[in-house]
Amino acid sequence: MSALTHAKSGWAIGPGKPLAVIAGLNVLENKALALAVGAQLKAICAELGLPYVFKASFDKANRSSIHSYRGPGLEEGLQILKEVKAELGVPICSDLHTVEQAEPVAAVADIVQIPAFLCRQTDLVVATARATAKAGGIVQVKKAQFIAPWDTKNIVTKIGEASDVGVILCERGSSFGYNNLVVDMLGIPELQKLGCPVTIDATHAVQLPGADPRTGGASTGGRRDGVAIIAKSAVAAGADGVFLEFHTDPDAALCDAPSCLPVSEAKALLTKLKALHEVVQG
């Protein structure tokens, strides 16, 4: 496996590179919040010497309830991301859900993310790969909760046959019985055997799907205290980067509140993760 570099921004991930950081909001709520969180994370990563990408979703299509907040949508959401990108001077990561979204998302996002539940959808994978390659970006694929790490080889193969584009694989936990996820740290090196850098989505890995007691199961629960544990464990296991979601007031977040961290804790966590990564890198 070799390192992967985004040509336009210089952001890099992989062997010999610092711990890569993809972090921001779960979903866009408004531009002001995106700028506030993004600015803090950019400053922290600059101080620590860590390559940073701002992450936020414009739409959360996979919701437990039809009444759950989904985000501003494609048009407004991409405009906010475009403005955040310009004002903060940072690369952008966002996900998509349909074939039709591939080109407009790839035109704004430097890293285009395929959600875990959709990673086996051939039409979406191919469209994302081609649009992202055309725009000069990178594709990040979330490993589905229901497939083994080594079975992501079929997704990587699809992408490679569709276009010549860099691929990051993201571990985010596996379904374990009802309303629970676990992360097998042995999966990190298994994913890397496929020739791709690997990130850990420590935020979604602590979800309790469909088990939020606040809504009687109409939304996803989470174990916020576990985020740092999962992140540190994965970096110790050799992960090349981290995927983390923050908020200025996590309990008031409009989506996945039980799983996101207060941005005030970002520096302490990233400092520890950087130190762990340096030890593992030798």
Side-chain angles (χ1 to χ4, degrees), residues 6 8 96 98-112 114 123-139 159 162-166:
H6 183 261
K8 295 179 182 178
L96 77 178
T98 67
V99 169
E100 294 76 20
Q101 293 175 344
E103 290 202 6
V105 173
V108 175
D110 303 280
I111 298 178
V112 181
I114 299 175
D123 289 346
L124 180 64
V125 169
V126 170
T128 301
R130 289 175 176 168
T132 306
K134 181 180 177 182
I138 294 171
V139 174
I159 293 173
S163 69
D164 183 15
V165 66

Side-chain angles (χ1 to χ4, degrees), residues 64-128:
S64 299
S65 168
I66 196 171
H67 303 292
S68 296
Y69 178 74
R70 290 182 52 166
L74 179 67
E75 185 174 348
E76 182 182 348
L78 288 182
Q79 182 59 36
I80 293 174
L81 290 174
K82 188 183 298 184
E83 293 174 10
V84 170
K85 183 176 183 177
E87 293 185 31
L88 295 184
V90 296
I92 296 292
C93 173
S94 195
D95 41 11
L96 77 178
H97 302 91
T98 67
V99 169
E100 294 76 20
Q101 293 175 344
E103 290 202 6
V105 173
V108 175
D110 303 280
I111 298 178
V112 181
Q113 183 170 279
I114 299 175
F117 277 123
L118 299 177
C119 72
R120 286 171 54 91
Q121 299 297 104
T122 299
D123 289 346
L124 180 64
V125 169
V126 170
T128 301

Side-chain angles (χ1 to χ4, degrees), residues 17-35:
K17 302 296 182 181
L19 180 72
V21 178
I22 302 173
L25 299 168
N26 184 297
V27 62
L28 289 169
E29 297 182 17
N30 55 66
K31 179 183 172 182
L33 179 62
L35 286 172

Side-chain angles (χ1 to χ4, degrees), residues 62-65 116-117 144-146 172-182 203-213 215-223 256 258-259:
N62 174 32
R63 299 294 87 194
S64 299
S65 168
F117 277 123
Q145 302 93 321
F146 48 84
R172 50 93 72 239
S174 298
S175 297
F176 187 75
Y178 299 124
N179 305 121
N180 194 22
L181 297 170
V182 297
T203 300
H204 290 90
V206 301
Q207 284 182 328
L208 298 171
D212 188 347
T215 61
S219 60
T220 292
R223 297 161 290 188
D256 285 349
S259 300

